[in-house]
Amino acid sequence: MGESIKSNVRSRCVGTTAVVYASDYLNKLTGEKIERECKKQLDSGARALVIDFSDTELVNSIGISILLGIIDIAEKSGALVVFSDVNSETIQLFEMLGLTRHVVLAKNEQEALSNLSGPTQTQAMGH
């Protein structure tokens, strides 16, 4: 049977929002697992994705391109993407590469979920 591809990416659903937890190092291997999990959640009807970077210390260039792919897939299915708990170095990298133009950044998972639910969504997006 060969090696079993275990998707050991942690995720959970809160209403129509899927929260996917990124690993400590976002590279090709872990990025593909996260991408598979995000696709699975979108296929199951998730209307928003929160990618939690609380455990993530490093993101390499392949990890970035996979995140761009996830953003693209989500946009095509009309889902919003929120990055939460991103460390300051990674935020700088995301800003430099233009990722932050396509996602919402949240301080933590709680803020991400509250921004996605109810009337606070218009508040968060407006001024």
Side-chain angles (χ1 to χ4, degrees):
M1 261 200 250
E3 64 183 77
S4 68
I5 300 173
K6 266 178 48 184
S7 181
N8 54 3
V9 174
R10 286 189 313 127
S11 68
R12 67 189 188 105
C13 286
V14 181
T16 57
T17 300
V19 182
V20 180
Y21 299 91
S23 61
D24 57 345
Y25 179 41
L26 189 54
N27 57 16
K28 182 178 183 344
L29 186 68
T30 57
E32 286 173 347
K33 289 179 182 177
I34 291 165
E35 184 179 33
R36 270 196 299 275
E37 185 60 32
C38 288
K39 280 180 181 171
K40 191 178 91 180
Q41 295 292 348
L42 289 168
D43 290 345
S44 303
R47 304 305 309 136
L49 292 172
V50 174
I51 301 178
D52 185 306
F53 288 91
S54 54
D55 295 332
T56 309
E57 292 172 33
L58 280 172
V59 181
N60 76 6
S61 57
I62 295 170
I64 295 281
S65 68
I66 290 171
L67 287 174
L68 284 167
I70 292 169
I71 292 165
D72 191 47
I73 293 161
E75 283 177 351
K76 284 184 176 135
S77 66
L80 193 63
V81 180
V82 180
F83 289 172
S84 73
D85 289 286
V86 187
N87 69 39
S88 56
E89 293 84 17
T90 306
I91 286 176
Q92 288 177 333
L93 178 68
F94 287 173
E95 284 174 347
M96 192 172 66
L97 297 172
L99 263 75
T100 52
R101 288 197 300 267
H102 304 284
V103 300
V104 176
L105 289 176
K107 185 171 69 234
N108 55 38
E109 188 182 317
Q110 257 53 54
E111 182 183 287
L113 291 171
S114 65
N115 281 351
L116 289 168
S117 65
T120 52
Q121 188 174 6
T122 51
Q123 214 175 357
M125 292 181 177
H127 289 288

